[in-house]
Amino acid sequence: MADAKVIPFGSPDDGYGRHSGRERHERHRQQSRDSGTGPGSGGASAGGAGADERTGRAGEHPETDADSSAAGGSWERTAAQALAFLRRRVTGEYEVDDFGYDPELTDQVLMSLLRPLYEKYFRVEVRGVENIPADGSALIVSNHSGTLPLDGLMMQVAVHDHHPAGRHLRLLAADLVFMLPVVNALARKAGHTLACSEDAAALLVRGEIVGVMPEGFKGLGKPFSERYKLQRFGRGGFVSTALRAGAPIVPCSVVGAEEIYPMVGNAKTLARLLGFPYFPVTPTFPWLGPLGAVPLPTKWTIQFGEPIPTDGYPEGSAEDPMLMFNLTDQIRETIQHTLYKLLVRRRSVFF
């Protein structure tokens, strides 16, 4: 299999950098109309009229004939697009950036696999997505929970599918993610990178939307009794990175992830043997084996708060420890209060 072409950010060949997901979608629709194969084009109508003149029977049920033609055309287009996608994967005629991000694979495959979980299983409700800038960089800071990091993936789908400009969320992940064989490759393809200030700064300078969960494993692996209680946000390194890039910080609060795997215990000895930060014990895992790894179908809400600007501070502010502490505390309190408000309004964990 041929290697993919690596396109640096901001280069003239980087089509994904110049056009949003929605713009690409509209461009494909326009091309379909021009070629006479898209919905609403004249190709199917002309075929139906000719059949009516030749046989006098095809026009007896015009709606049925039109629906059949549209369904046939849709199936053919889907098959053609799938074959073209496979051809590009085999020949290496697709693009990845210098972090390994594969926009085409993410849009057409990974998002399609996550979307049923997002829409049907967790039934995620998104609020305030318009607070994410339509262009330029931003740092999204969120709480972290759920034993497994499904909350980050659901945030990625929320931004991808609901943002008016069709933007992509680039998540900062722990080094453990990039030590696991299959997970490592998928994380890179989906646009994730190591949670370090260097990678975060590089993405922000290039105008990307970057997501960080400062609680880390402390939040992800906390016991069920401490649900929705934010853990420490570290030393404010993410604030320093945002200040240097002049990127606004968007607080994000996720409700629903805490209950998917109620962690009632931690097998610390087994965790040390496996090299994990914790080994969860839930009411179903490991007692039910693989079946116990199925998350509970809770109802989720993801709310993006108003952005906190960072471009108005004087030069050198990123080195001011008191400013770092104050901004970090402000962001943490904003997320915590939003979580409490969402919990008060929630009718049920599952509905």
Side-chain angles (χ1 to χ4, degrees):
M1 181 180 293
D3 293 333
K5 182 180 180 182
V6 178
I7 303 295
F9 282 103
S11 71
D13 295 329
D14 186 7
Y16 286 91
R18 295 191 305 268
H19 303 290
S20 69
R22 177 164 294 191
E23 289 172 339
R24 294 195 300 273
H25 178 66
E26 293 298 329
R27 190 164 61 252
H28 292 326
R29 288 182 60 188
Q30 184 61 44
Q31 290 171 354
S32 297
R33 294 192 192 99
D34 296 341
S35 62
T37 60
S41 63
S45 299
D52 185 35
E53 292 174 359
R54 289 192 302 271
T55 65
R57 298 177 60 188
E60 291 179 2
H61 302 284
E63 295 85 356
T64 304
D65 295 338
D67 291 343
S68 299
S69 299
S74 176
W75 183 89
E76 291 174 359
R77 284 194 305 278
T78 301
Q81 291 169 359
L83 290 173
F85 173 80
L86 292 174
R87 180 186 63 79
R88 289 192 296 273
R89 309 315 292 187
V90 172
T91 60
E93 297 176 3
Y94 60 94
E95 301 172 358
V96 297
D97 68 19
D98 39 4
F99 284 92
Y101 174 46
D102 189 333
E104 183 184 49
L105 184 69
T106 300
D107 289 346
Q108 298 191 23
V109 178
L110 300 181
M111 288 296 107
S112 298
L113 294 175
L114 292 172
R115 198 166 286 122
L117 191 66
Y118 174 93
E119 295 179 348
K120 305 298 182 182
Y121 198 78
F122 294 135
R123 295 147 289 144
V124 181
E125 178 184 354
V126 181
R127 300 177 181 177
V129 71
E130 66 279 358
N131 288 321
I132 301 173
D135 52 43
S137 62
L139 183 67
I140 297 178
V141 181
S142 174
N143 60 308
H144 203 16
S145 63
T147 304
L148 291 180
L150 295 180
D151 50 359
L153 298 178
M154 296 300 102
M155 281 175 54
Q156 190 176 13
V157 179
V159 175
H160 181 276
D161 286 3
H162 294 279
H163 194 276
R167 304 207 65 181
H168 295 268
L169 177 63
R170 308 291 295 270
L171 290 169
L172 303 179
D175 52 359
L176 178 61
V177 172
F178 302 101
M179 295 169 60
L180 302 175
V182 178
V183 176
N184 172 28
L186 289 176
R188 289 290 184 187
K189 292 289 186 182
H192 307 166
T193 189
L194 191 64
C196 63
S197 57
E198 291 80 8
D199 284 6
L203 289 171
L204 290 174
V205 168
R206 293 164 177 176
E208 295 287 331
I209 300 294
V210 179
V212 62
M213 297 171 171
E215 292 177 281
F217 289 122
K218 299 189 301 294
L220 191 63
K222 65 177 176 286
F224 187 67
S225 60
E226 297 181 15
R227 59 192 179 279
Y228 298 113
K229 296 178 182 178
L230 292 184
Q231 306 299 301
R232 288 184 62 252
F233 267 23
R235 301 177 181 177
F238 66 93
V239 173
S240 176
T241 303
L243 280 169
R244 289 190 178 96
I249 299 174
V250 180
C252 177
S253 304
V254 181
V255 165
E258 295 274 13
E259 295 90 358
I260 59 174
Y261 296 111
M263 186 169 163
V264 296
N266 179 12
K268 296 181 179 180
T269 302
L270 187 56
R272 282 195 298 269
L273 290 174
L274 296 175
F276 294 159
Y278 56 87
F279 189 89
V281 176
T282 75
T284 59
F285 182 83
W287 326 114
L288 299 183
L291 186 62
V294 177
L296 296 177
T298 58
K299 175 75 170 63
W300 287 35
T301 301
I302 299 178
Q303 179 160 327
F304 298 97
E306 295 184 3
I308 300 171
T310 64
D311 54 357
Y313 291 95
E315 186 177 355
S317 296
E319 311 302 329
D320 184 350
M322 186 57 67
L323 177 61
M324 296 301 100
F325 176 81
N326 289 337
L327 282 175
T328 301
D329 190 59
Q330 176 188 350
I331 295 164
R332 186 179 180 277
E333 288 301 312
T334 298
I335 296 173
Q336 183 69 81
H337 286 307
T338 304
L339 287 173
Y340 288 149
K341 291 178 182 177
L342 292 174
L343 289 170
V344 168
R345 289 200 294 260
R346 184 169 68 166
R347 294 179 301 170
S348 165
V349 172
F350 299 101
F351 302 103

